[in-house]
């Protein structure tokens, strides 16, 4: 069986759905963050796949690397925010952090 | 022209305070007592340093100034000129191509004012040491005010002039409204609205002139050939030119202030903190008369000639009326030291208006010299009031007496300022008043003789005050030292900071009283040219 | 000596007292009180020696009419400048000696008199600035410098009258003096403006030359008269002439040596000096004005002096009266004798004042000794019998009294006799009528002067001590007595003229020829015009007179002399009869002349009248103006703000209800919608993510 574009896309869809599921359902902010990472990685897979099979060539790789870096930066910022939230609320339950509403 | 770091001295002298203001705003105020104290010291000395540098720059400008160049309406003979396109908008539906320049330069008319501003701001920065509340905000406003004032005196683009005029207004409002006395809000609002009313007149005329000439360049506005023949301000001796001149005159007269537009001044002076009173009397009032000479006179020479008699009359009324009101302060209501000096300012600025209306070299040079001298002398007077107010926390003339024994040096310096205000020979104001009177007499003998009564009335109220406050017996309540803890006032007489503010001004008064040439020569060429220009331009039916 | 040397020396004389002032003001504390006095006094000594040198060489090596002067530009205004300078003529040279000598003696006197005063060194500084300004007046060769120093002597007089400013009366008197002087100075100033307006210069010689060339203010000799009178107004103020004489008696609040220097001998004589300076430009009208002012002053002041009791006030009114004499003399055209009376009066009046200082000093110490702090040491009703206690003071005072009364063999006789002759001559030449009032006033004032001066002498020095303190007085020491002796000696005739009955033969008279008038003939007295040869021939005169007036003066000399001796003698005898031999009781006399006595005692009610009219009027006007300003002008400003606020109130309501109602309606609608939609806003990120995904799905669906 040759592995072609569809397989990659299916894998990325599965990862994406897991990620979204994690974001929506988890109450723990760290878990939400992990879901976000999954979403980003699913996008990475797409990029790499398209660079291999679509006409994207090296740009796909570059984009993927950008996303990885972005993800790392984002994780750092997000974790810092979570730490701050923890210090202020003494928990990291995202359901109860609804100050945005007001 | 010399430059510093590639930038001309006028830009430096104008914007140096802004630079300092930004630095000052970056310095934190500190939270605890100790760091607060340190930061306050820093703010004060930064301001002193700024104004000192400004003074040095002013002196450098003075010594590099070419006394032989005329200026006034000749762009080529202005000095230290800097010109950069500031705002340019093409093809506006109504205004056409809007071009506004950053255009600064000085001539013999503005040079004395630049010098005066630098001197007064430097002296007043010492007087600001007594400010205890909101020190950071105060000094930031102070520096902004400084820029505004300096800008007014160097601007050669009407739009720029107007911008600086308004820039100076705002900090003044806050300085009176926040750091003032018990009725500060009333005084601040009154000052602001009244001055704004003047600005509105000025704005209207400025726009009318723009439509007539097509630029905001003052020199174009002074040249009758640049006027669009179809505009309402074209030609000479037309109704609209008279209206425009009258509006502009009222706008400036509010600032001078001439009777009957003067009532904001006593209130503003009474409520303003000492250094602000100093700046108000020392520099701000001069803007009115400076504006007249820089803008009204050369731009509307025909209207000046038409209104000359009325202007002289306004000057005469201001002199006599202001002096009578100052004298009347002794009899009516609270006898407030500052109110007295405020009314004396109305009277003394009347001399300036009278001299300007005379339209001859003696009167005109006397008028500008009087502006300079009044700036220095009144600054001193207000600082002198500030000195006892800081100690006794009252300015009531009836609360004092016999201070001459308690504070001999203070009394000596005070006497110089008081006799300067009276116009005693040997002090600078004598020469300016003499010139104003001699000049005014040539044109208006009767008005001048009536104005002469101002001399006697002036001696009356000044000597009355002198006697009330400094002679006689010291009231019981001031028998002890000013400050029993000895922390703030180690002895009864002047403190070093007060010396620093007062002594240089006293020296200037005496020096110029004996040797006035450094200032009179500064303006001779320009003023004579201005008179010729006003007398000969714009009208063919010369009715002079 | 060359011109330049003389000018340099004059400048040095002028600046020396200023140097003293500067030293004492800035370093007075460091060098100490005693040394301040010594420095200032010795500086004046140097100035005196230099003045004598300058005066001698000017008088005897240069022509009498020659004016040595220097001019320079003080400040200019492009199209021309204002020139000033100093000049030295015979008038100035003699005046230099008068000022420096009296100033020196007063300094010397003060080192003792002011001893122990807490502002001792300050006092000498003020004397220094006064002497400087007075010398400035003397040396000025232009109206501007004259005015400048004029004001400066006013300042120093202000400072010195108010020297003991803790006393309200002193502070008030100094203020009164300054402001009264300012009123006169305003006239002076207007005169200066008129002159500058017309001639574009303020130099005396240039102005006179222009007048001689027929240039007048507003092209009219009437205005030339007005100009002369206006300038003379300055003299009315400074020389305490009617109607501005009221300040001088009050000025006696100052220390007595100051009264001697400033308010008797020098500053008040500046008015006379000024009138002498402008002598050439005075027209007939101006002369009349000057003469009447002087005559009225001489008369009124003499009547007041008769009834006063304060030692110094009597002398003050006598000064006013004598100044009136000098002014009158110049007014009738007697330039030389008028000025000579200034000189002789300076010596004997300074002597009288310093002697009064000596008496007051002694009385003060005696009272102090008796622990009496309420009795007035200046009231002559508290004195008496001081002759034995203070012999030198008495003798010098007596000599000066004789001189001022005009007894032969004194300097006063010489100059006074000249003035009286001049008034007679004037009345003759001017055609009589109302002009006879001038000699009438002059002679009656002369009689009264003799009377009140001897009244003072007898009351204070003769008889028995009236209170205990007067018996405890004793003669003062050398520093106080020596100046008295010097000044008393100078009151003899010999220094001015060998012949004690004829001043015109004296050297001083010869050295001070009256300047020729420059006023055109039609507006000048005929007798003041320079004489031409034709008239000389017809009159067959052996003497050569400058004009008819001098000749007539010579003719009137004899009758004036006899009259004046009779009148002065009468006054003296009357004083002796009433006060020494008690032939009549003064109190009864006072009752007999009730109204006249009261008029005189209350100084003709001048102060009261001025208080009610001018001062009261000004105060009322200023009060009204202040109220007007507060309520009307400021009221209008506030009213406009009130109206604006009223309008804005209504507009505000309209705005609130109608305009804002519409706005609020739209806002309410929006708000309602928002209320609906806010349900979606949970604040939970997850919910938003769900919305996003639903949105994306819908988007995809819609796109396909």
């Amino acid at each position: 069986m040759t592995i072609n574009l569809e397989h990659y896309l299916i894998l990325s869809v599965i990862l994406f759905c897991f990620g979204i599921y994690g974001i929506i359902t988890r109450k723990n902010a760290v878990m939400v963050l992990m879901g976000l990472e999954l979403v980003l990685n699913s996008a990475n897979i797409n990029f790499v796949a398209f660079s291999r099979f679509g006409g994207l060539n090296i740009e796909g790789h570059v984009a993927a690397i950008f996303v990885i870096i972005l993800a790392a930066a984002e994780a750092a910022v997000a974790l810092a925010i979570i730490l701050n939230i923890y210090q202020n609320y003494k928990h990291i339950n995202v359901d109860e952090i609804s100050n945005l509403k007001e | 022209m010399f430059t510093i770091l590639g930038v001309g001295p006028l830009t430096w002298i104008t914007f140096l305070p802004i630079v300092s203001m930004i630095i000052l705003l970056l310095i934190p105020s500190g939270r605890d007592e100790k760091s607060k104290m340190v930061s306050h010291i820093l703010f004060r000395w930064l301001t002193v340093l700024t104004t000192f540098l400004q003074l040095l720059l002013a002196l450098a400008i003075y010594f590099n100034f070419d006394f032989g160049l005329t200026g006034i309406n000749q762009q080529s003979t202005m000095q230290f000129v800097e010109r950069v396109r500031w705002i340019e908008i093409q093809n506006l539906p109504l205004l056409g191509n809007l071009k506004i320049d950053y255009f600064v330069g000085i001539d013999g008319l503005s040079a004395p004012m630049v010098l005066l501003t630098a001197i007064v701001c430097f002296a007043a920065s010492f007087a600001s040491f007594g400010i205890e509340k909101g020190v950071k905000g105060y000094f930031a406003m102070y520096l902004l005010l400084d820029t505004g004032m300096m800008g007014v005196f160097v601007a050669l683009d009407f739009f720029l002039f107007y911008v600086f005029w308004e820039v100076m207004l705002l900090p003044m409002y806050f300085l009176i409204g926040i750091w003032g006395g018990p009725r500060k809000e009333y005084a601040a609002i009154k000052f602001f609205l009244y001055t704004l009313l003047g600005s509105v007149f000025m704005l209207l005329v400025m726009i009318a002139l723009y439509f007539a000439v097509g630029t905001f360049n003052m020199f174009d506005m002074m040249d009758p050939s640049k006027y669009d023949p179809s505009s309402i301000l074209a030609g000479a001796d037309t109704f609209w030119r008279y209206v425009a001149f009258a509006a502009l005159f009222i706008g400036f007269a509010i600032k001078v202030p001439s009777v009957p537009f003067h009532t904001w001044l006593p209130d503003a002076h009474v409520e303003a903190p000492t250094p602000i009173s100093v700046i108000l009397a020392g520099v701000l009032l001069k803007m009115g008369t400076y504006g007249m000479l820089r803008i009204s006179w050369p731009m509307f020479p025909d209207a000046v000639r038409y209104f000359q008699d009325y202007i002289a009359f306004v000057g005469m009324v201001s002199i006599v009326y202001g002096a009578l009101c100052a004298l009347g302060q002794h009899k009516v209501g609270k006898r407030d030291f500052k109110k007295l000096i405020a009314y004396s300012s109305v009277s003394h600025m009347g001399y300036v208006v009278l001299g300007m209306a005379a339209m001859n070299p003696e009167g005109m040079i006397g008028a500008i010299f009087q502006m300079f001298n009044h700036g220095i002398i009144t600054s001193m007077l207000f600082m002198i009031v500030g000195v006892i107010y800081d100690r006794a926390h009252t300015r009531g003339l009836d609360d004092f007496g016999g201070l001459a024994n308690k504070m001999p040096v203070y009394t000596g310096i005070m006497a110089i300022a008081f006799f300067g205000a009276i116009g005693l020979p040997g002090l600078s104001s004598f020469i300016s008043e003499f010139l104003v009177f001699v000049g005014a007499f040539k044109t208006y003998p009767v008005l001048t003789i009536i104005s002469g009564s101002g001399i006697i009335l002036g001696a009356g109220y000044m000597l009355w005050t002198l006697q009330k406050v400094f002679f006689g017996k010291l009231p019981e309540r001031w028998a002890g030292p000013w400050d029993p803890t000895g922390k703030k006032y180690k002895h009864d007489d002047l403190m070093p900071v007060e010396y620093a503010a007062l002594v240089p001004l006293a020296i200037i008064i005496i020096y110029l009283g004996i040797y006035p040439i450094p200032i009179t020569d500064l303006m001779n060429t320009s003023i004579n040219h201005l008179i010729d220009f006003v007398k000969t331009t714009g009208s063919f039916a010369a009715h002079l | 000596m060359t011109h330049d040397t003389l000018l340099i020396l004059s400048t040095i004389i002028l600046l020396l007292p200023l140097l003293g002032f500067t030293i004492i003001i800035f370093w007075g504390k460091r060098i100490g009180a005693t040394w301040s006095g010594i420095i200032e006094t010795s500086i004046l000594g140097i100035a005196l020696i230099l003045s004598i040198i300058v005066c001698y060489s000017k008088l005897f090596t240069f022509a009498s009419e020659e004016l040595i002067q220097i001019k320079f530009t003080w400040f200019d205004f492009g199209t021309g400048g204002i020139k000033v300078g100093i000049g030295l003529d015979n008038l100035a040279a003699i005046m230099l000696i008068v000022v420096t000598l009296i100033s020196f003696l007063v300094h010397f006197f003060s080192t003792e008199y002011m001893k122990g005063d807490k502002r001792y060194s300050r006092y000498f500084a003020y004397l220094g600035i006064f002497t400087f300004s007075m010398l400035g007046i003397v040396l000025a060769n232009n109206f501007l410098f004259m005015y400048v120093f004029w004001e400066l002597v006013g300042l120093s007089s202000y400072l010195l009258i108010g020297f003991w400013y803790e006393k309200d009366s002193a502070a008030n008197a100094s203020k009164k003096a300054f402001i009264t002087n300012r009123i006169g100075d305003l006239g002076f100033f207007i005169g200066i403006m008129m002159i500058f307006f017309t001639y574009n210069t303020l130099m005396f010689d240039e102005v006179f030359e222009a007048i001689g060339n027929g240039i007048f203010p507003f092209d009219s000799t009437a205005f030339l008269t007005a100009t002369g009178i206006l300038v003379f107004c300055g003299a009315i103020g400074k020389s305490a002439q009617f109607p501005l004489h009221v300040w001088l008696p009050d000025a006696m609040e100052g220390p007595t040596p100051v009264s001697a220097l400033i308010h008797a001998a020098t500053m008040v004589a500046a008015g006379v000096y000024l009138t002498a300076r402008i002598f050439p430009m005075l027209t007939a009208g101006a002369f009349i004005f000057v003469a009447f002012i002087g005559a009225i002053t001489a008369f009124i002041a003499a009547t007041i002096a008769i009834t006063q009791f304060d030692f110094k006030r009597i002398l003050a009114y006598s000064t006013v009266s004598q100044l009136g004499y000098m002014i009158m003399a110049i007014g009738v055209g007697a330039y030389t004798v008028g000025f000579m009376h200034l000189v002789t009066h300076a010596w004997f009046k300074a002597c009288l004042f310093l002697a009064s200082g000596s008496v007051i000093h002694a009385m003060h110490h005696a009272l102090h000794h008796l622990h009496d702090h309420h009795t007035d040491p200046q009231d002559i009703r508290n004195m008496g019998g001081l002759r034995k206690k203070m012999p030198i003071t008495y003798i010098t005072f007596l000599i000066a009294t004789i001189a001022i009364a005009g007894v032969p063999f004194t300097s006063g006789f010489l100059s006074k006799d000249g003035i009286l002759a001049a008034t007679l001559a004037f009345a003759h030449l001017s055609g009589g009528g109302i002009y006879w009032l001038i000699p009438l006033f002059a002679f009656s004032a002369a009689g009264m002067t003799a009377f009140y001066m001897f009244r003072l002498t007898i009351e204070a020095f003769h008889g028995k001590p009236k209170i205990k303190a007067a018996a405890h007085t004793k003669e003062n020491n050398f520093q106080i007595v020596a100046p008295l002796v010097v000044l008393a000696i100078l009151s003899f005739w010999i220094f001015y003229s060998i012949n004690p009955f004829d001043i015109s033969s004296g050297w001083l008279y010869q050295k001070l020829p009256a300047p020729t008038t420059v006023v055109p003939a039609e507006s000048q007295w005929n007798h003041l015009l320079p004489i031409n040869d034709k008239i000389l021939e017809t009159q067959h005169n052996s003497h050569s007179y400058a004009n008819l007036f001098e000749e007539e003066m010579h003719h009137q000399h004899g009758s004036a002399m006899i009259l004046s001796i009779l009148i002065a003698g009468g006054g003296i005898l009357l004083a002796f009869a009433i006060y020494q031999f008690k032939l009549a009781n003064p109190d009864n006399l006072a009752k007999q002349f009730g109204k006249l006595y009261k008029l005189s005692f209350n100084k003709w009610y001048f102060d009261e009248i001025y208080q009610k009219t001018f001062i009261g009027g000004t105060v009322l006007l200023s009060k009204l103006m202040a109220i007007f300003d507060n309520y009307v002008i400021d009221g209008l400003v506030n009213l406009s703000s009130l109206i604006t606020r009223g309008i804005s109130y209504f507009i505000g309501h309209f705005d609130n209800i109608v305009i804002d109602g519409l706005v609020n309606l739209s806002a309410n609608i929006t708000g309602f919608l928002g209320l609906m939609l806010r349900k979606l806003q949970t604040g939970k990120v997850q919910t938003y993510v769900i919305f996003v995904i639903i949105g994306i799905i819908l988007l995809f669906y819609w796109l396909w």
Side-chain angles (χ1 to χ4, degrees), chain B residues 457-479:
Chain B
L457 295 172
Y461 62 75
M462 279 299 178
L463 293 187
W464 189 91
T465 312
L466 197 63
Q467 184 186 350
K468 191 83 203 157
V469 177
F470 297 97
F471 298 161
K473 287 195 179 67
L474 195 70
E476 281 296 310
R477 56 198 276 218
W478 311 127

Short mmCIF file of all heavy atoms in Angstrom, two decimals, chain B residues 457-479:
data_model
loop_
_atom_site.label_atom_id
_atom_site.label_comp_id
_atom_site.label_asym_id
_atom_site.label_seq_id
_atom_site.Cartn_x
_atom_site.Cartn_y
_atom_site.Cartn_z
N LEU B 457 -0.20 109.34 41.14
CA LEU B 457 -1.01 108.29 41.76
C LEU B 457 -0.14 107.06 42.03
O LEU B 457 -0.27 106.42 43.07
CB LEU B 457 -2.18 107.93 40.85
CG LEU B 457 -3.21 109.03 40.65
CD1 LEU B 457 -4.20 108.63 39.58
CD2 LEU B 457 -3.94 109.32 41.94
N GLY B 458 0.75 106.77 41.07
CA GLY B 458 1.63 105.61 41.25
C GLY B 458 2.48 105.78 42.49
O GLY B 458 2.60 104.86 43.31
N ALA B 459 3.06 106.96 42.65
CA ALA B 459 3.85 107.20 43.86
C ALA B 459 2.96 107.05 45.08
O ALA B 459 3.37 106.49 46.09
CB ALA B 459 4.45 108.60 43.81
N GLY B 460 1.70 107.51 44.95
CA GLY B 460 0.78 107.43 46.09
C GLY B 460 0.58 106.00 46.55
O GLY B 460 0.84 105.68 47.70
N TYR B 461 0.16 105.12 45.65
CA TYR B 461 -0.16 103.78 46.16
C TYR B 461 1.08 102.97 46.52
O TYR B 461 1.06 102.17 47.44
CB TYR B 461 -1.12 103.02 45.22
CG TYR B 461 -0.65 102.72 43.82
CD1 TYR B 461 0.28 101.73 43.56
CD2 TYR B 461 -1.19 103.39 42.73
CE1 TYR B 461 0.68 101.43 42.27
CE2 TYR B 461 -0.79 103.11 41.43
CZ TYR B 461 0.15 102.13 41.23
OH TYR B 461 0.54 101.84 39.96
N MET B 462 2.16 103.20 45.78
CA MET B 462 3.36 102.44 46.10
C MET B 462 3.92 102.85 47.47
O MET B 462 4.29 102.00 48.28
CB MET B 462 4.43 102.68 45.03
CG MET B 462 4.21 101.84 43.80
SD MET B 462 4.27 100.10 44.19
CE MET B 462 3.93 99.35 42.65
N LEU B 463 3.98 104.15 47.72
CA LEU B 463 4.53 104.59 49.01
C LEU B 463 3.60 104.23 50.15
O LEU B 463 4.04 103.90 51.24
CB LEU B 463 4.76 106.11 48.99
CG LEU B 463 5.85 106.57 48.05
CD1 LEU B 463 6.10 108.04 48.23
CD2 LEU B 463 7.13 105.80 48.27
N TRP B 464 2.31 104.26 49.87
CA TRP B 464 1.36 103.86 50.90
C TRP B 464 1.64 102.42 51.31
O TRP B 464 1.71 102.08 52.49
CB TRP B 464 -0.06 103.99 50.36
CG TRP B 464 -1.09 103.78 51.42
CD1 TRP B 464 -1.63 104.74 52.20
CD2 TRP B 464 -1.65 102.54 51.82
NE1 TRP B 464 -2.52 104.16 53.07
CE2 TRP B 464 -2.55 102.82 52.87
CE3 TRP B 464 -1.48 101.22 51.42
CZ2 TRP B 464 -3.29 101.84 53.51
CZ3 TRP B 464 -2.21 100.23 52.06
CH2 TRP B 464 -3.11 100.54 53.10
N THR B 465 1.81 101.56 50.28
CA THR B 465 2.07 100.16 50.56
C THR B 465 3.39 99.99 51.30
O THR B 465 3.49 99.22 52.27
CB THR B 465 2.13 99.39 49.22
OG1 THR B 465 1.02 99.76 48.45
CG2 THR B 465 2.12 97.92 49.46
N LEU B 466 4.38 100.71 50.81
CA LEU B 466 5.70 100.64 51.44
C LEU B 466 5.59 100.95 52.93
O LEU B 466 6.14 100.25 53.78
CB LEU B 466 6.59 101.67 50.75
CG LEU B 466 8.09 101.57 50.90
CD1 LEU B 466 8.54 100.28 50.29
CD2 LEU B 466 8.75 102.72 50.17
N GLN B 467 4.88 102.02 53.22
CA GLN B 467 4.74 102.44 54.61
C GLN B 467 3.96 101.40 55.40
O GLN B 467 4.34 101.03 56.50
CB GLN B 467 4.02 103.79 54.65
CG GLN B 467 3.92 104.35 56.05
CD GLN B 467 3.08 105.62 56.07
OE1 GLN B 467 2.74 106.16 55.02
NE2 GLN B 467 2.75 106.08 57.24
N LYS B 468 2.88 100.93 54.82
CA LYS B 468 2.00 100.00 55.52
C LYS B 468 2.74 98.71 55.87
O LYS B 468 2.60 98.17 56.96
CB LYS B 468 0.83 99.69 54.58
CG LYS B 468 -0.30 98.96 55.23
CD LYS B 468 -1.21 99.93 55.93
CE LYS B 468 -1.97 99.18 56.99
NZ LYS B 468 -2.45 100.01 58.05
N VAL B 469 3.50 98.19 54.92
CA VAL B 469 4.08 96.87 55.11
C VAL B 469 5.44 96.93 55.79
O VAL B 469 5.76 96.11 56.64
CB VAL B 469 4.19 96.14 53.75
CG1 VAL B 469 4.86 94.80 53.92
CG2 VAL B 469 2.83 95.98 53.14
N PHE B 470 6.24 97.91 55.43
CA PHE B 470 7.63 97.86 55.87
C PHE B 470 7.96 98.83 56.99
O PHE B 470 8.85 98.57 57.77
CB PHE B 470 8.55 98.12 54.68
CG PHE B 470 8.43 97.07 53.64
CD1 PHE B 470 7.62 97.25 52.55
CD2 PHE B 470 9.10 95.87 53.78
CE1 PHE B 470 7.48 96.26 51.60
CE2 PHE B 470 8.96 94.88 52.84
CZ PHE B 470 8.15 95.08 51.75
N PHE B 471 7.21 99.94 57.05
CA PHE B 471 7.51 100.90 58.10
C PHE B 471 6.53 100.72 59.26
O PHE B 471 5.74 99.81 59.27
CB PHE B 471 7.43 102.33 57.55
CG PHE B 471 8.43 102.59 56.46
CD1 PHE B 471 8.29 103.64 55.58
CD2 PHE B 471 9.54 101.75 56.31
CE1 PHE B 471 9.22 103.87 54.58
CE2 PHE B 471 10.47 101.97 55.31
CZ PHE B 471 10.31 103.04 54.44
N GLY B 472 6.61 101.60 60.21
CA GLY B 472 5.74 101.49 61.36
C GLY B 472 6.22 100.38 62.30
O GLY B 472 7.39 100.00 62.29
N LYS B 473 5.29 99.87 63.09
CA LYS B 473 5.66 98.86 64.09
C LYS B 473 5.27 97.47 63.64
O LYS B 473 4.26 97.28 62.98
CB LYS B 473 4.98 99.19 65.42
CG LYS B 473 5.60 100.39 66.11
CD LYS B 473 5.16 100.46 67.56
CE LYS B 473 5.80 101.65 68.24
NZ LYS B 473 5.29 102.94 67.71
N LEU B 474 6.10 96.51 64.02
CA LEU B 474 5.83 95.12 63.68
C LEU B 474 4.67 94.61 64.53
O LEU B 474 4.69 94.77 65.75
CB LEU B 474 7.10 94.31 63.96
CG LEU B 474 7.18 92.93 63.36
CD1 LEU B 474 7.32 93.00 61.87
CD2 LEU B 474 8.34 92.18 63.96
N PRO B 475 3.64 93.99 63.90
CA PRO B 475 2.55 93.45 64.71
C PRO B 475 3.05 92.34 65.64
O PRO B 475 4.01 91.63 65.30
CB PRO B 475 1.58 92.90 63.68
CG PRO B 475 1.96 93.52 62.39
CD PRO B 475 3.41 93.82 62.47
N GLU B 476 2.37 92.18 66.76
CA GLU B 476 2.78 91.19 67.77
C GLU B 476 2.95 89.79 67.18
O GLU B 476 3.88 89.07 67.49
CB GLU B 476 1.71 91.13 68.87
CG GLU B 476 1.82 92.26 69.88
CD GLU B 476 3.12 92.21 70.67
OE1 GLU B 476 3.44 91.13 71.18
OE2 GLU B 476 3.82 93.24 70.73
N ARG B 477 2.00 89.45 66.28
CA ARG B 477 1.98 88.04 65.81
C ARG B 477 3.22 87.65 65.02
O ARG B 477 3.54 86.48 64.87
CB ARG B 477 0.73 87.79 64.98
CG ARG B 477 0.57 88.75 63.81
CD ARG B 477 -0.85 88.73 63.32
NE ARG B 477 -1.09 87.62 62.40
CZ ARG B 477 -1.87 87.73 61.32
NH1 ARG B 477 -2.45 88.87 61.03
NH2 ARG B 477 -2.06 86.69 60.54
N TRP B 478 3.95 88.64 64.47
CA TRP B 478 5.16 88.29 63.72
C TRP B 478 6.42 88.52 64.54
O TRP B 478 7.52 88.53 64.01
CB TRP B 478 5.28 89.10 62.42
CG TRP B 478 4.07 89.14 61.57
CD1 TRP B 478 3.46 90.24 61.09
CD2 TRP B 478 3.31 88.04 61.09
NE1 TRP B 478 2.37 89.90 60.35
CE2 TRP B 478 2.24 88.56 60.32
CE3 TRP B 478 3.40 86.64 61.23
CZ2 TRP B 478 1.29 87.76 59.71
CZ3 TRP B 478 2.45 85.86 60.61
CH2 TRP B 478 1.42 86.41 59.87
N ALA B 479 6.25 88.77 65.84
CA ALA B 479 7.42 89.12 66.65
C ALA B 479 8.45 88.00 66.66
O ALA B 479 9.66 88.25 66.60
CB ALA B 479 6.97 89.45 68.07
#
